[in-house]
Amino acid sequence: MAMRPQMTDRRDGTGGETSVATRTKTRTQRPPLYKVLLLNDDYTPMEFVVHVLERFFGMSHAHAFDVMLTVHKKGVAVVGVFSFEVAETKVAQVMDFARRHQHPLQCTLEKE
């Protein structure tokens, strides 16, 4: 005669049921993006603006020239869209570079 393990009643209030842990997936949201804007003025040379666009925004000479003309004709142009930290850094770099070269060029950012 084989011995069978004895079954005992559970007295922990679960009634013998097992519970299943459910995992909720959290979605990570993308950080908000910010537009970097270059503003027109009557004093900053066009060549300087083209140089800024090439240096700080990685634009080709032809693309930088087109963007510079947009700034000149419309008064403002979006020169890039970045996370807040990158946009803030680009604005600070452009403003510092313009000040060091004694140009009143203005660069700002706004939420997209």
Side-chain angles (χ1 to χ4, degrees), residues 18-100:
T18 57
S19 60
V20 177
T22 57
R23 229 184 275 167
T24 57
K25 289 187 177 184
T26 56
R27 284 190 180 168
T28 54
Q29 290 183 341
R30 290 183 178 217
L33 296 176
Y34 291 80
K35 298 184 284 191
V36 175
L37 307 167
L38 210 54
L39 307 175
N40 187 42
D41 64 75
D42 293 332
Y43 303 101
T44 305
M46 291 178 176
E47 300 82 28
F48 183 79
V49 175
V50 170
H51 179 70
V52 164
L53 294 170
E54 292 171 343
R55 179 172 179 163
F56 297 105
F57 299 96
M59 294 182 187
S60 68
H61 184 76
H63 186 226
F65 189 82
D66 289 343
V67 172
M68 176 275 300
L69 284 178
T70 300
V71 172
H72 181 70
K73 292 176 182 175
K74 295 189 176 186
V76 65
V78 175
V79 295
V81 179
F82 308 96
S83 67
F84 178 76
E85 291 79 12
V86 173
E88 185 178 47
T89 300
K90 297 263 186 204
V91 168
Q93 288 173 330
V94 169
M95 295 295 290
D96 181 57
F97 190 70
R99 265 187 253 114
R100 282 190 283 127

